[in-house]
Amino acid sequence: MTEDLNWAIGGEAGDGIDSTGKIFAQALSRAGRHVFTSKDFASRIRGGYTAYKIRTSTDRVQSVVDRLDILVALTQRTIDENLDELHEGSAVIYDGERSWDAEIPDEITAVDVPLKSLAEEAGGAIMLNVVALGAACEITGFDVAYLDEALEKRFGGKGSKIVDNNKDAARKGRDYVRENYDLDLGYALETTDEDYVLLNGDEAIGMGALAAGCRFYAGYPITPATNVMEYLIGRIEQYGGHVVQAEDELSAINMALGAARGGARSMTATSGPGIDLMAETFGLVATSETPLVIVDVMRSGPSTGMPTKQEQGDLNMTLYGGHGEIPRFVVAPTTIDECFWKTVEAFNYAEKYQTPVYVVADLALAVTEQTFSPETFDMDAVEIDRGNLLEDDQVSEWLDDQGHFRAHAATEDGISPRAIPGMTDGAHMSTGLEHDELGRRTEDTEVRVEQVDKRNRKVETAKAEEEWDYREFGDEDADNLVVSWGSNEGALREAVALLEDEDVPVRVISVPYLFPRPDLNEEFEAADDVIVVECNATGQFADVLEHDTLQRVKRINKYTGVRFKADELAEEITAKLNEEVPAQ
Amino acid sequence: MSSQSEVRFTDFKSDKQPTWCPGCGDFGTMNGMMKALANTGNDPDNTFLVAGIGCSGKIGTYMHSYAIHGVHGRALPVATGVKMARPDIEVMAAGGDGDGYSIGAGHFVHATRRNVDMTYVVMDNRIYGLTKGQASPTSRSDFETSTTPEGSQQPPVNPLALALASGATFIAQSFASDAIRHAEIIEEAIEHDGFGFVNVFSPCVTFNDVDTYDYFRDSLVDLKEEDHDRHDYEAAKGVILDADKEYQGVMYQNENSIPYHERHGVTENMAEIPDGAPENAMDLVREFY
Ligand SMILES: Cc1ncc(C[n+]2csc(CCOP(=O)(O)OP(=O)(O)O)c2C)c(N)n1
Ligand code: SF4
């Protein structure tokens, strides 16, 4: 039963839940185990409850399940919140000396450890979470020594004494359980020689930006995109770049636009409310044909919505947002490693096609950490294509007979030459006003049509030149097709396995390109039933696909603010397959 | 055009004929900007002009340089981005009083305190010109316009005081029709190490019959002729907060101005990047061990 262990720590916000969870996750990863983490910010009761959950296995894990084996509960609330996930083989670690009387169902093993007292013995009550980690190690047969490296990483900056105290605290927790309990719940966490890295989607996006040569980032803090900025600060400087915390999103996107016109690879990241604020400038970016990467890490909307909750509700905004008609690309990573690769691609598309490119991620991708082998992020495989950015001596080829640079030359493929400041004779004006080839304002009907067509032609060129493919898994001959975008892919992979066990074969297509996007007509025609899975109420992607294929689809929509779980998805898919197609 | 060759101010002129009303103050403002750019050794290929939206914002079309004509109120963030990416480029932002002190007021405060090494020229006509004569944040409280038939009954914004309060390191004011002084002041703003802010009285001859050329000519006091020490903060405060007079000249210059790029070490040309991921990029991955 120990193949796949689910562990969690929960308490009040401010109890150090996140950092403690992360220490354990890192220790597991260092021990060559796969890890998939998730964060809970109160689903049923309002307030400060927060939990960090880890699913770990020697096999790859990429979703959450409704089962909890070991729970470190710093509050009664933690137990109450997770009651339905605990089972007979579960253990709850708690501190009986503290003021609350833990109510733990009889069939669950209660492990009472004086966390606070032991922490004080080790040098300070603040380390009580680490004592709990030591206790958890003992229960799961995991060597506390694996914690050491993670503790060094976390506390190294605070001096060796703090690190040593923490190591001691962990051992006190282990010894207490060893001496006072004779537990055999059957857990024995195996270790391997694999070296894994552990990171979340925001970090992967930031790392992708650095790999792709991003030099300028401007942003305004917003959950769950802030991590991108926090990751870049302190790292981008190594490459001569810079991060600005702007006064608002209006400023952020305009700064990023300015840097891009200066010739830098430039990016901003935000979440829905910030995307709204950026909408006006988004149009300018497209009309002035400025290469820019804009990351939208979606959270629950509309308005301020549920800032710490999952949703995939911004698809329409990113596909259609902004006044007028705006050519753009929208890429949407479906896994954490793709957050890296799609960001790299986004920079190339932005420069090749001189357009804004949205990278659309979601909260579940952004805050979830997952283990990967380092080669997943093979930096040698990163390619940089700056498109039609001219060399100094090429500028003269693009001057009109008066010597003006044709920055918006209406070329056949829609892509114009690009000159950046400092290039001799390349000086030109760019504007959000409709303009001619030189970038000068016009209301001439023919030029207007020519420039609109020219900008749209870039999309046609890209459709023809790039591969807008999808990822496929499950049974490729199955009659039933499930289509998904964003972070649902991991849960779907496991759902497919569960369905296979029940003899319900499905073919799954996970789409990372929302615009341009793959043509799914053939795939739809080959299927009896098509189900589109997404975390929103109205089925925005389902609508788009129905429009593309002129075929009705079934929909699985979740908008509770919580991501899909594998078992839940398996059940819903089965139910949907038994449902009649909705009337036209 | 290489920076070695002799640059004349007309090199900064585009061949587009301005559609400004004859007599508009923006002609003089622009001429002074072009002269100042040429006098400080810049040429169109190493200059980036960010224009606002308004009659004033059209300046981007009439000048010749690398330029962007952005969205209303956001010239300063764009200029900030350009300068950070390209410390080697001369960056200037220009727009109107509505653009800068109304829709863009937040950016004005923050660009000022950031102290990025660039120049910001506001063509202050105390009215919205392009949208045909509504009150602007610098309009007098009793000035009647189409949107304020009985006057706004609100005190006008004092942009110089706003700048001072935001930590400005260079605050000046000039008058579009005093050609020599105006160009001189812009030149000083360009040469200032940090954010050089110049509020320019640039009369709108069509919609503003109060803040006219005659009015400014009669009332303007040039600080050059006064005994004003621009490095003296208290003295600067005195002239900036003096509601009874209109001043021309440099009110304040902080001798110890440390521009953003020096404080943050933003000195590299960010347009240059390698063909692939940076060397040692795998270190970024290994950090996640
Ligand atoms: C978001 C947005 N709101 C409103 C406008 C309309 N608009 C264009 S210019 C302008 C005011 C310009 O006034 P000012 O900055 O003083 O410049 P002037 O025309 O007087 O030179 C307004 C409100 C716009 N272009 N964009
Ligand atoms: S309306 Fe006023 S500001 Fe606009 S061009 Fe005419 S005079 Fe100048």
Side-chain angles (χ1 to χ4, degrees), chain A residues 153 196 198 211 235 242 247 255 258-259 261-262 374 377 384 386 404 420-426 428 430-431 440, chain B residues 1 15 45 60 65-69 77-78 81-82 84 86 107 114 260 270-271 275-277 282 285 287-289:
Chain A
K153 193 163 178 162
Y196 294 129
L198 179 72
R235 290 185 179 81
H242 189 63
E247 56 272 25
M255 283 185 188
R261 295 231 59 99
F377 309 99
I384 289 182
R386 304 210 67 183
H404 303 303
I420 56 169
M423 287 185 176
T424 304
D425 292 338
H428 65 276
S430 305
T431 171
R440 293 170 173 191
Chain B
M1 199 164 315
D15 50 14
D45 291 329
S65 72
Y66 282 91
I68 194 152
H69 183 214
V78 175
V82 176
M84 292 208 186
R86 298 299 301 275
H107 304 313
R114 252 179 223 116
Y260 188 95
M270 296 183 192
D275 293 338
M282 277 316 279
V285 182
E287 263 187 63
F288 291 106
Y289 269 135

Side-chain angles (χ1 to χ4, degrees), chain B residues 78-136:
Chain B
V78 175
T80 300
V82 176
K83 187 67 190 181
M84 292 208 186
R86 298 299 301 275
D88 53 322
I89 295 298
E90 188 62 43
V91 177
M92 193 176 269
D97 39 295
D99 195 71
Y101 310 142
S102 195
I103 192 167
H107 304 313
F108 177 57
V109 166
H110 293 281
T112 304
R113 54 189 280 265
R114 252 179 223 116
N115 203 28
V116 172
D117 188 17
M118 61 192 195
T119 306
Y120 182 39
V121 178
V122 178
M123 297 139 107
D124 184 0
N125 53 15
R126 300 181 172 174
I127 188 99
Y128 282 13
L130 191 69
T131 46
K132 299 191 164 33
Q134 301 78 22
S136 106

Side-chain angles (χ1 to χ4, degrees), chain B residues 258-271:
Chain B
I258 303 173
Y260 188 95
H261 67 272
E262 269 180 38
R263 252 182 296 129
H264 295 272
V266 189
T267 52
E268 283 191 46
N269 176 347
M270 296 183 192

Side-chain angles (χ1 to χ4, degrees), chain A residues 12-199:
Chain A
E12 290 290 308
D15 280 346
I17 301 300
D18 265 19
S19 66
T20 313
K22 180 125 189 192
I23 288 167
F24 198 50
Q26 274 170 339
L28 290 161
S29 160
R30 296 313 301 128
R33 294 187 60 86
H34 273 296
V35 167
F36 186 88
T37 75
S38 61
K39 289 169 193 172
D40 239 22
F41 313 79
S43 46
R44 274 152 281 186
I45 315 173
R46 298 171 58 132
Y49 164 73
T50 156
Y52 185 104
K53 297 186 168 177
I54 297 175
R55 188 170 169 207
T56 176
S57 166
T58 47
D59 292 334
R60 200 154 170 239
V61 276
Q62 45 194 338
S63 78
V64 286
V65 287
D66 279 323
R67 195 184 85 236
L68 209 46
D69 304 312
I70 311 290
L71 174 64
V72 177
L74 300 184
T75 55
Q76 177 63 38
R77 178 80 172 277
T78 309
I79 300 171
D80 299 342
E81 286 280 342
N82 294 285
L83 216 48
D84 50 0
E85 296 190 4
L86 295 169
H87 55 95
E88 267 183 45
S90 300
V92 173
I93 300 167
Y94 71 106
D95 185 348
E97 278 181 14
R98 296 176 75 203
S99 53
W100 52 288
D101 280 321
E103 286 172 35
I104 302 172
D106 288 344
E107 65 274 19
I108 289 155
T109 307
V111 186
D112 181 354
V113 183
L115 302 174
K116 197 167 167 217
S117 312
L118 291 173
E120 277 162 356
E121 279 175 32
I126 195 162
M127 294 182 294
L128 70 91
N129 294 353
V130 178
V131 175
L133 290 183
C137 286
E138 178 62 18
I139 299 171
T140 55
F142 186 63
D143 193 340
V144 277
Y146 286 113
L147 285 178
D148 293 351
E149 250 182 85
L151 289 169
E152 273 159 24
K153 193 163 178 162
R154 176 78 180 86
F155 299 112
K158 298 186 172 171
S160 59
K161 178 142 195 315
I162 305 265
V163 174
D164 290 344
N165 287 352
N166 274 283
K167 289 181 184 173
D168 186 31
R171 282 161 179 77
K172 284 198 157 51
R174 175 197 61 188
D175 294 346
Y176 185 87
V177 174
R178 197 173 274 178
E179 285 154 23
N180 295 281
Y181 286 88
D182 184 16
L183 289 176
D184 187 13
L185 295 168
Y187 300 110
L189 290 187
E190 239 180 89
T191 60
T192 76
D193 294 335
E194 298 295 329
D195 272 332
Y196 294 129
V197 292
L198 179 72
L199 71 167

Side-chain angles (χ1 to χ4, degrees), chain B residues 175-228:
Chain B
F175 178 32
S177 96
D178 192 347
I180 294 172
R181 277 294 281 143
H182 165 61
E184 208 170 79
I185 291 166
I186 303 277
E187 212 175 303
E188 289 207 53
I190 293 173
E191 282 178 341
H192 173 68
D193 253 355
F195 187 73
F197 163 55
V198 187
N199 190 63
V200 185
F201 295 130
S202 187
C204 171
V205 294
T206 305
F207 296 111
N208 192 333
D209 55 8
V210 182
D211 299 294
T212 59
Y213 285 101
D214 283 343
Y215 163 73
F216 286 114
R217 228 171 261 135
D218 293 345
S219 56
L220 213 56
V221 176
D222 198 322
L223 291 172
K224 209 174 175 182
E225 276 127 43
E226 305 287 298
D227 188 20
H228 178 68

Side-chain angles (χ1 to χ4, degrees), chain B residues 241-261:
Chain B
L241 296 179
D242 180 357
D244 300 330
K245 287 196 187 113
E246 308 278 10
Y247 288 98
Q248 170 169 260
V250 182
M251 277 85 198
Y252 180 61
Q253 183 166 21
N254 185 336
E255 284 174 293
N256 304 315
S257 166
I258 303 173
Y260 188 95
H261 67 272

